Amino acid sequence: MKLIISIVQDDDALDLVEDLTEKGYGVTKLATTGGFLKSGNTTLLTGVNAEKVDEVIEVIKSRCKTREEVISAMTPVMGVSSNMMPYPVDIKVGGATIFVVDVDKFVKI
Ligand code: 2BA
């Protein structure tokens, strides 16, 4: 058995959970926060038999889109490090970051 941990954007999460549950996969949805942007994202846990991993990844691919975010970075004004001014930086946030890990044991009580 494998555990698929997928970090997706909040905007895609609900539709993705619906798609996966409709196809019969068990899903746990966690509200998470990205370390870089420090904004909300969603982490989904899906336990599946090994032969189903690629199918789940295809479902994730079909739902999750790459998006551009603009963040405000700070730069020194005319080289003076104590005077900082904000400037916009474009960041591309991926559709999904996916980890597939082996499950040693799966027990439901
Ligand atoms: P965040 O950490 O908030 O990162 C959001 C986006 O910011 C990233 O998109 C990437 O485009 C950019 N970014 C991240 N760290 C950066 C850095 N040091 N310098 C410049 N740009 C940077 P994604 O790579 O698609 O990641 C989306 C979210 O997936 C991340 O949100 C994080 O929550 C998770 N993630 C990505 N890689 C991970 C990893 N190796 N381990 C655990 N979580 C990861």
Side-chain angles (χ1 to χ4, degrees):
M1 187 174 208
K2 303 280 184 184
L3 178 65
I4 304 171
I5 303 168
S6 43
I7 303 160
V8 305
Q9 296 178 48
D10 288 346
D11 287 346
D12 297 321
L14 285 180
D15 286 338
L16 177 57
V17 169
E18 216 169 280
D19 284 358
L20 290 169
T21 47
E22 259 173 29
K23 288 181 188 297
Y25 295 109
V27 184
T28 296
K29 177 175 171 289
L30 307 172
T32 47
T33 303
F36 185 70
L37 293 180
K38 311 232 174 352
S39 64
N41 53 27
T42 298
T43 298
L44 302 181
L45 306 180
T46 312
V48 292
N49 289 327
E51 67 270 16
K52 294 288 185 187
V53 167
D54 290 340
E55 188 180 320
V56 170
I57 291 174
E58 283 308 312
V59 177
I60 296 170
K61 262 192 205 161
S62 72
R63 268 296 172 197
C64 298
K65 297 165 193 66
T66 297
R67 293 184 180 86
E68 300 255 335
E69 296 265 339
V70 181
I71 62 165
S72 185
M74 300 300 276
T75 188
V77 180
M78 294 207 279
V80 183
S81 59
S82 56
N83 285 353
M84 304 292 275
M85 65 180 256
Y87 71 102
V89 175
D90 287 335
I91 294 280
K92 205 170 258 184
V93 184
T97 300
I98 302 171
F99 301 90
V100 180
V101 296
D102 288 328
V103 174
D104 285 341
K105 201 170 187 174
F106 172 62
V107 181
K108 279 192 179 184
I109 296 168

